[in-house]
Amino acid sequence: MKTAFLSTLILAISTSAGFAQQPAQCRNFVATIALQMTKEGCSSQIDLCTVGTVMSNEPALSGATWFFTAHGMAEVAGPPSLPKTLQSYAGTVLVTAKGGTFTTSTAGVYETESPAFSQLDKIVKGTDRFSNSSGRLIFLTGIGRQGGGFDTHARGELCVNE
């Protein structure tokens, strides 16, 4: 009787462990983010942070908070014919969603006259349901809107632990 009970218990534990360790599902997504400049929680050395809420076709990402922190800006390097209104920047993004977070390393170009930007983000770490997203890329473009902030479009890939 004890042996049958122990065998059943071991089988139940090993079966449930197998379900809990399903591989992450990697999927492409598109999103929009209405970004606003913010001072709240901004630790940027150049005093430049933005925050917004993600609206996406990816359920794990929709409703998440997108928080960008700039680490530095400089005139864009390149041929002398490039306009002086182009600035390059680097920073990080922290995305906080239901069930986890992920952090990106960011490099971008900002057109000060328009204003508009284009940036490439690489996911450098994730927690909980985003723990397998490291190395995935996200591409953003943003156009300044009347009254401040940016209307931003994002495309990329996430690996989500179900």
Side-chain angles (χ1 to χ4, degrees):
M1 185 75 164
K2 270 188 183 179
T3 306
F5 174 74
L6 285 175
S7 296
T8 304
L9 181 62
I10 291 170
L11 180 62
I13 290 171
S14 64
T15 303
S16 66
F19 286 122
Q21 295 176 359
Q22 292 178 353
Q25 298 294 313
C26 297
R27 333 185 253 260
N28 291 325
F29 72 88
V30 294
T32 58
I33 313 162
L35 293 172
Q36 292 290 337
M37 301 293 192
T38 186
K39 301 283 186 206
E40 189 175 326
C42 184
S43 62
S44 169
Q45 294 176 348
I46 62 171
D47 204 29
L48 175 59
C49 293
T50 60
V51 65
T53 301
V54 178
M55 301 306 294
S56 178
N57 67 327
E58 170 52 59
L61 192 55
S62 197
T65 300
W66 185 277
F67 193 93
F68 168 75
T69 303
H71 298 303
M73 280 186 98
E75 189 174 302
V76 171
S81 61
L82 285 175
K84 300 295 181 202
T85 56
L86 285 178
Q87 299 285 309
S88 63
Y89 62 89
T92 55
V93 171
L94 174 63
V95 177
T96 305
K98 294 178 197 144
T101 65
F102 63 87
T103 303
T104 75
S105 176
T106 301
V109 177
Y110 177 63
E111 165 52 58
T112 60
E113 240 176 54
S114 297
F117 72 89
S118 179
Q119 81 184 39
L120 180 63
D121 288 68
K122 182 176 183 180
I123 300 175
V124 293
K125 67 179 175 180
T127 66
D128 302 319
R129 68 188 308 197
F130 302 108
S131 62
N132 291 308
S133 283
S134 293
R136 305 299 171 168
L137 299 176
I138 302 171
F139 180 71
L140 281 83
T141 56
I143 305 284
R145 79 172 159 271
Q146 199 82 11
F150 297 91
D151 290 325
T152 307
H153 299 278
R155 299 178 90 58
E157 183 180 52
L158 281 178
C159 296
V160 181
N161 302 329
E162 298 297 337

